[in-house]
Amino acid sequence: MTRRSPWFVFAIPLVFFVLLLIQPLVAYYADWLWFDVEGYRSVFLTELWSRSMLGVAGFAVSFLIVWGNYYLAVKSFTGPVVLPGVRAAGGASRGEPYGIVIDARDIAPPSIAVATVKRAVVIVAIMIALLAGISSSGHWLTWLRFTHAQPFGDVDPVLGWDVGFYVFRFRFWVALRSFLMTMTVLSLLGCAALYTAGGQVRFTQQRGFWLSGRSRTHLSLLVGTVFLLVGLGAVLDMPGLLVTRSGIVFGASYVDANTRLLVLKLLVAVSAFGVVLSVFALFTSKLWPITVAVAGYFLVSLAGGGAASLVQKFVVAPNEQVKETPYIVRNIEATRKAFDLDGVEESQLTGDAVLTRADIDANEDTLKNVRLWDHQPLLDTFGQIQEIRTYYDFVSVDNDRYVIDGEYRQTMLSARELNTASLPNRSWINERLVFTHGYGVTLGPVNQVTKEGLPVLFIKDLPPRSSVDLNVTEPSIYFGELSNDHVFVNTNAKEFHYPKGDDNVFSTFEADAGVPMNGLLRKLLFSLRFQSLKALLSNDIRADSRVLFHRRIRERAATIAPFLVYDSDPYLVISNGRLIWILDAYTVSGLYPYSSPNPGRTGSVPKGINYIRNAVKVTIDAYTGATRFYLADPEDPLVRVYADIFPDLFIPLSTMPEDLRRHLRYPQDIFTIQADMYAIYHMTNPAVFYNKEDQWDVPSIDTGTARSTRMEPYYTIMKLPNSERAEFIQMLPFTPRRKDNLAAWMVARSDGDDYGKLAVFQFPKQKVVFGTRQVVARINQDQVISPQITLWNQQGSEVIQGTLLVIPIEESLLYVRPLYLRAANGKIPELKRVIVAYQNQIVMENSLEDALERLFPVEAPRATGTAALEEPVAELEAAGTRPDTEPTASPPAPKGSIEELATMARAHFDRAVEAQRAGDWARYGEEIERLGQVLKQMESGQAGGGVE
């Protein structure tokens, strides 16, 4: 029989391996071209080189370890080959195992049997090495962080090691030890099997296990290596105590520091003793040294675990607060530092402040920027009045601020993106060549509405029309939150721009962006990359055509810098006429010693991180896709390491255009995490912390559905207490744990030099300040508001209760909740009423301005506030009533000059007449009563010779 050449054994796996690699190689080359065009070739090369180097190193080291050990075992095959389950030739002899030993000469030349085993060993070693190499290449970032590690400047309080070791080096050592242990164990098991097959390891009834001198030496050395790596694992478990939870707080507890740490040191000593016994086993035919080493390790491990349990039960548990106090202090300090909470500015509010009309007027900038439009109702409205065509979508609404006509205004902006899934004809040409981009935005103030209850829009329609001094000169959106995977531009096909009446306007992509096609080979490349032959066969794609891909904002940024965590809410900004996306990026770690991790996933930030910084700001041009990574927090050690690894990736924040910098805002994901952590870690007294005496919660509110919803942070423009001007902030209130009254509110500032500063304003614990749930309950129980909402719902309309906003004014609070009405079978929510609560008073009016006027009657000529929301009389008559409510407490007596009181009297009279016409007799009686109060004040003023 003809022997096949050895190469044939490897040929089929090699061909299969090459075919398997074609698609990844094509994707890598396409990405290489993309990175080159985007200006981040060095970033791609750094990752590629690191992956390749680690992959090759992992393959080579694992192959040498496994194959080298297997080869030494196979090399011992000098005589008969023992086959499992076969009896010895000529019968069993004394001292040999029961079974048959077949002399290789009786069945085949001895060299063939050994050669087959050797080839099998090589194949097994290669397969193990391939898996090890692939696994190793996945640790490229761990390796780079290890080699570029920098100190944090803080040391842990137990071992005295710099925090940088935990964040940058610890994970690499753990991975390296795991890799070596896996290879060693595989070598040990494989060699044991090979030695057994080669007759070098036997078991006899007379003598038990018998090992040849060669096998004993080899296996003893491998066992010693295992003990060495076990000892290294015990060494790494020591710092591991500081980044895990075992007691009442995260990090090493009393038992860890005083018992488990000692046990780990003993295990290191036992492991070292095991190495010595393994070497000693080289010189004896007995197995007792190995047995003693293994038994000793398990004995110490079990005894140590038992000792830790006893210490916890009899030492710590009876005196837990006292014993754990030093470790609680460490946990508090580390957590506050890791989540950037150690610099929070804390202020106390009196809780006794009473608002006056003067306070309302002094906070005009705050009140005229109260957000009356919730995101979802506004998206629904935009979808009906501004999508224009079915293939356009508004994905999200972004809160921002602009100086509009000289006035600092909070706005809500939404991009009109193209949704190819909604195209009437979803052909390849339409999706990839014709319908390539969205077009334009809608932008309006957060508080203004039309007579019909619809949002006022400063920028709207196609092409975009602006009614203010804010214009969009390049409205095309090729890169966004909804953009499909790839499109080809500068092709022979006409590129749709926007609809115009019964016709369409077409355009040509004019930016020097995207990967050039350059001919047939590029067409073939991207046909394979996108797994579509149409790109190869299309006559519309020219040599000067370009392909745009990685067009989704978060996916685009993550492709360039996958080691950053990106905020879940990129937002669009109009800057110098262009549309620019801003995306916040975080540096995170889960290995900051003694810092407690976040309890759950927040937005796009994963569960389990215990260090976070908003260190990077990413900007992406909606037209060209130009992507820039700005270094926002150069003091962050993590981002410094990344900047050292990728020197061409980050640019200073000072180089960002000034007009764009004015739109930076503190991101919601990190603020939500910080608020969650601060709700616990504002307690810096270890005794208070241990008993959870002052723990806070983020309140939940009733949204009109069966389940309450956790309140989320919201952006607003407001003047903080003791501040001179209004500013753009993000805010979230707190309630005491399992209580509904308000305990404090937290803000993150976003303007100018105050960007990123956190502040908390606390109410006295002895004062009861209504919380959100209490206010919502009082609104739902109001004798006028509740029946009116029920009446609307019974008439077939849907009442949508908006977000309850907590509006701090001076040292007091206003609560504002908009009400939207959606007609039966309708799709457009309309803002119909605004509910305002202050202390024990609740009113519902057409507008925020009217509600404030009822709560705080005019004492002087009133400054213009938010625009009024008017409702046609016909709608009031159709409803049969006017859904207003009176305050539960009488307002203070009106004051002012005779002329001012006369103006107030006229206003009350006009509203009384209006209520009479609408059949709203409760409102009519209230206005007549107020009119009487004004008239009495005028009489007393005339009698006394004047009015205050």
Side-chain angles (χ1 to χ4, degrees):
M1 183 175 179
T2 305
R3 293 178 57 189
R4 292 178 178 176
S5 302
W7 68 265
F8 184 79
V9 177
F10 305 99
I12 296 178
L14 183 63
V15 171
F16 177 77
F17 183 68
V18 171
L19 291 175
L20 195 64
L21 284 180
I22 286 180
Q23 186 62 31
L25 289 175
V26 166
Y28 255 102
Y29 183 61
D31 281 342
W32 154 259
L33 296 173
W34 182 83
F35 272 86
D36 189 38
V37 168
E38 296 300 327
Y40 293 108
R41 178 172 56 182
S42 63
V43 176
F44 181 85
L45 288 176
T46 299
E47 179 180 344
L48 180 62
W49 169 250
S50 302
R51 284 183 179 274
S52 302
M53 184 188 67
L54 282 179
V56 171
F59 176 88
V61 171
S62 58
F63 179 78
L64 288 176
I65 293 175
V66 175
W67 176 78
N69 282 285
Y70 290 175
Y71 176 78
L72 290 175
V74 173
K75 195 176 180 181
S76 67
F77 288 10
T78 57
V81 178
V82 178
L83 301 179
V86 184
R87 291 202 48 171
S93 62
R94 179 180 178 86
E96 293 185 347
Y98 287 101
I100 295 178
V101 176
I102 300 178
D103 194 323
R105 291 172 298 179
D106 295 337
I107 56 175
S111 60
I112 295 178
V114 174
T116 302
V117 174
K118 288 182 177 180
R119 283 197 294 269
V121 162
V122 171
I123 293 175
V124 170
I126 289 176
M127 296 302 295
I128 292 175
L130 281 175
L131 294 176
I134 294 173
S135 176
S136 299
S137 68
H139 292 280
W140 66 275
L141 188 58
T142 303
W143 163 252
L144 289 176
R145 282 196 291 245
F146 176 83
T147 55
H148 293 79
Q150 295 187 15
F152 266 67
D154 299 318
V155 297
D156 77 76
V158 177
L159 301 175
W161 296 356
D162 188 89
V163 173
F165 167 81
Y166 296 87
V167 176
F168 301 124
R169 298 184 185 274
F170 177 69
R171 189 161 284 163
F172 173 79
W173 285 115
V174 171
L176 179 61
R177 182 256 179 189
S178 177
F179 170 83
L180 293 175
M181 178 64 83
T182 301
M183 295 303 108
T184 304
V185 170
L186 288 175
S187 298
L188 177 62
L189 296 176
C191 288
L194 289 170
Y195 278 124
T196 301
Q200 303 295 309
V201 176
R202 303 177 185 180
F203 180 80
T204 65
Q205 289 182 339
Q206 290 80 11
R207 294 190 300 174
F209 275 105
W210 174 84
L211 288 81
S212 67
R214 184 188 188 93
S215 64
R216 183 188 308 110
T217 300
H218 191 182
L219 295 178
S220 295
L221 289 175
L222 286 175
V223 170
T225 305
V226 170
F227 274 111
L228 182 66
L229 293 172
V230 167
L232 177 59
V235 172
L236 293 175
D237 285 341
M238 295 180 192
L241 293 174
L242 279 69
V243 291
T244 55
R245 177 189 292 272
S246 62
I248 61 173
V249 294
F250 193 85
S253 63
Y254 179 91
V255 174
D256 292 329
N258 293 278
T259 304
R260 291 194 177 97
L261 193 60
L262 177 60
V263 171
L264 289 174
K265 292 178 180 179
L266 289 175
L267 288 176
V268 172
V270 171
S271 299
F273 185 60
V275 174
V276 173
L277 288 176
S278 298
V279 174
F280 178 74
L282 300 176
F283 307 101
T284 178
S285 60
K286 306 297 183 181
L287 294 178
W288 68 261
I290 303 296
T291 305
V292 169
V294 174
Y297 183 87
F298 282 103
L299 181 63
V300 172
S301 180
L302 292 173
S309 299
L310 291 174
V311 171
Q312 176 66 35
K313 184 175 181 179
F314 294 105
V315 178
V316 177
N319 307 280
E320 188 174 54
Q321 181 175 339
V322 175
K323 295 295 184 182
E324 298 289 7
T325 290
Y327 308 97
I328 293 174
V329 171
R330 295 171 183 175
N331 174 251
I332 293 173
E333 292 176 352
T335 302
R336 288 173 65 94
K337 183 172 292 186
F339 286 94
D340 204 16
L341 298 174
D342 52 342
V344 174
E345 300 174 6
E346 299 179 348
S347 301
Q348 296 292 329
L349 302 176
T350 64
D352 297 322
V354 177
L355 292 181
T356 65
R357 185 69 208 189
D359 296 324
I360 299 299
D361 294 338
N363 288 270
E364 179 186 10
D365 288 339
T366 297
L367 294 170
K368 70 182 179 183
N369 285 289
V370 173
R371 177 170 61 85
L372 298 181
W373 281 103
D374 280 0
H375 289 187
Q376 193 55 52
L378 191 60
L379 275 179
D380 293 341
T381 302
F382 283 168
Q384 295 301 311
I385 66 176
Q386 280 294 304
E387 280 186 0
I388 314 297
R389 293 290 188 271
T390 58
Y391 40 76
Y392 285 128
D393 266 353
F394 291 99
V395 180
S396 64
V397 176
D398 299 320
N399 281 276
D400 201 358
R401 70 283 197 200
Y402 293 85
V403 177
I404 296 177
D405 294 335
E407 191 175 6
Y408 193 52
R409 302 291 300 273
Q410 184 180 355
T411 61
M412 302 186 80
L413 179 150
S414 189
R416 187 183 292 105
E417 298 197 52
L418 184 72
N419 184 358
T420 54
S422 300
L423 287 173
N425 179 13
R426 294 192 61 189
S427 65
W428 182 85
I429 292 178
N430 277 343
E431 291 190 21
R432 305 302 178 191
L433 307 181
V434 178
F435 292 90
T436 57
H437 60 279
Y439 193 79
V441 298
T442 59
L443 179 143
V446 296
N447 66 313
Q448 287 184 303
V449 293
T450 66
K451 294 180 179 180
E452 296 79 20
L454 301 178
V456 170
L457 298 178
F458 291 157
I459 300 178
K460 59 182 179 179
D461 298 340
L462 292 173
R465 295 186 299 108
S466 175
S467 60
V468 294
D469 61 351
L470 183 65
N471 295 289
V472 179
T473 57
E474 181 49 79
S476 301
I477 303 175
Y478 283 85
F479 301 85
E481 296 181 82
L482 194 63
S483 301
N484 59 335
D485 181 37
H486 68 281
V487 294
F488 297 91
V489 295
N490 293 340
T491 64
N492 292 329
K494 290 184 177 181
E495 192 175 335
F496 174 78
H497 204 34
Y498 63 88
K500 186 176 182 180
D502 295 333
D503 298 322
N504 292 329
V505 176
F506 297 90
S507 67
T508 300
F509 185 73
E510 298 179 352
D512 187 19
V515 179
M517 295 305 292
N518 289 353
L520 183 61
L521 290 179
R522 285 284 176 88
K523 292 176 71 173
L524 176 61
L525 171 69
F526 285 104
S527 294
L528 293 172
R529 168 65 173 80
F530 301 125
Q531 299 182 13
S532 172
L533 285 175
K534 295 177 181 177
L536 176 64
L537 302 177
S538 174
N539 294 324
D540 292 318
I541 299 177
R542 310 187 303 250
D544 62 340
S545 297
R546 291 174 174 267
V547 57
L548 307 178
F549 56 107
H550 296 313
R551 297 198 300 139
R552 289 186 179 89
I553 296 304
R554 295 182 69 246
E555 181 250 348
R556 184 177 184 84
T559 300
I560 298 173
F563 44 85
L564 299 175
V565 175
Y566 297 92
D567 192 80
S568 58
D569 184 27
Y571 60 101
L572 193 62
V573 169
I574 302 173
S575 178
N576 296 321
R578 299 189 69 86
L579 300 179
I580 307 293
W581 292 97
I582 297 180
L583 175 62
D584 288 279
Y586 309 118
T587 52
V588 301
S589 176
L591 296 173
Y592 195 100
Y594 269 110
S595 174
S596 294
N598 62 322
R601 186 178 184 88
T602 302
S604 59
V605 181
K607 174 183 177 181
I609 65 103
N610 66 357
Y611 175 91
I612 186 170
R613 290 293 186 273
N614 177 211
V616 179
K617 301 285 186 180
V618 185
T619 64
I620 300 175
D621 191 298
Y623 182 69
T624 66
T627 306
R628 301 290 178 265
F629 291 79
Y630 292 94
L631 195 59
D633 185 2
E635 300 301 318
D636 172 37
L638 261 172
V639 84
R640 289 204 308 266
V641 166
Y642 291 142
D644 193 32
I645 296 171
F646 306 100
D648 298 328
L649 177 60
F650 301 107
I651 55 180
L653 187 63
S654 58
T655 62
M656 179 184 286
E658 183 61 31
D659 183 65
L660 201 55
R661 288 190 66 180
R662 285 194 290 267
H663 294 280
L664 296 181
R665 70 183 193 187
Y666 200 73
Q668 182 169 322
D669 285 355
I670 188 174
F671 182 65
T672 301
I673 293 172
Q674 288 174 316
D676 287 340
M677 302 307 294
Y678 193 80
I680 300 173
Y681 285 91
H682 71 278
M683 298 180 289
T684 55
N685 184 306
V688 174
F689 184 94
Y690 175 81
N691 293 305
K692 299 293 187 289
E693 297 176 23
D694 193 28
Q695 185 172 334
W696 297 342
D697 280 335
V698 175
S700 297
I701 58 175
D702 180 14
T703 58
T705 61
R707 189 170 60 179
S708 297
T709 301
R710 185 183 189 271
M711 201 168 184
E712 295 184 353
Y714 53 89
Y715 293 99
T716 187
I717 291 178
M718 64 171 289
K719 188 174 74 169
L720 297 175
N722 303 319
S723 179
E724 298 297 327
R725 61 177 181 84
E727 57 186 293
F728 190 67
I729 59 101
Q730 191 175 182
M731 176 185 169
L732 189 66
F734 294 111
T735 60
R737 188 184 184 193
R738 298 176 181 172
K739 300 291 184 182
D740 291 335
N741 59 290
L742 211 62
W745 46 278
M746 187 177 191
V747 299
R749 307 170 75 175
S750 294
D751 284 352
D753 294 336
D754 293 325
Y755 177 87
K757 292 182 179 179
L758 303 179
V760 171
F761 299 88
Q762 297 186 44
F763 292 102
K765 294 179 176 60
Q766 64 273 20
K767 298 287 184 180
V768 177
V769 179
F770 288 140
T772 54
R773 291 179 66 92
Q774 293 169 320
V775 172
V776 169
R778 293 179 64 237
I779 290 174
N780 293 337
Q781 294 169 4
D782 187 88
Q783 295 181 357
V784 177
I785 298 176
S786 181
Q788 183 58 53
I789 292 176
T790 302
L791 178 61
W792 270 329
N793 284 323
Q794 290 176 347
Q795 290 176 342
S797 298
E798 178 189 1
V799 177
I800 303 172
Q801 300 188 42
T803 300
L804 181 70
L805 303 176
V806 182
I807 310 297
I809 302 293
E810 301 301 335
E811 292 196 10
S812 191
L813 298 173
L814 291 177
Y815 294 87
V816 178
R817 187 172 209 178
L819 290 183
Y820 312 94
L821 195 64
R822 182 165 21 214
N825 302 320
K827 296 183 179 180
I828 303 179
E830 298 175 4
L831 179 58
K832 285 302 179 184
R833 293 292 184 270
V834 178
I835 300 173
V836 179
Y838 169 66
Q839 293 185 347
N840 63 338
Q841 303 178 70
I842 300 176
V843 298
M844 182 169 70
E845 279 289 350
N846 288 345
S847 69
L848 177 60
E849 185 180 60
D850 288 346
L852 292 175
E853 185 176 333
R854 288 187 62 189
L855 288 172
F856 308 96
V858 176
E859 299 178 4
R862 184 178 54 184
T864 57
T866 58
L869 171 65
E870 300 179 1
E871 182 175 27
V873 174
E875 293 185 19
L876 290 170
E877 293 175 348
T881 184
R882 183 184 179 93
D884 298 315
T885 182
E886 55 188 358
T888 57
S890 299
K895 297 181 180 181
S897 66
I898 293 295
E899 291 78 8
E900 293 166 353
L901 291 173
T903 300
M904 293 173 59
R906 179 66 185 179
H908 287 307
F909 176 77
D910 290 342
R911 285 197 288 268
V913 172
E914 181 184 358
Q916 182 185 34
R917 291 172 179 172
D920 188 351
W921 300 108
R923 175 60 182 260
Y924 173 80
E926 179 188 333
E927 295 298 339
I928 292 298
E929 180 183 356
R930 288 177 175 270
L931 176 60
Q933 292 177 354
V934 174
L935 294 176
K936 287 180 181 180
Q937 186 66 20
M938 292 175 68
E939 289 177 0
S940 63
Q942 290 176 346
V947 184
E948 291 183 2

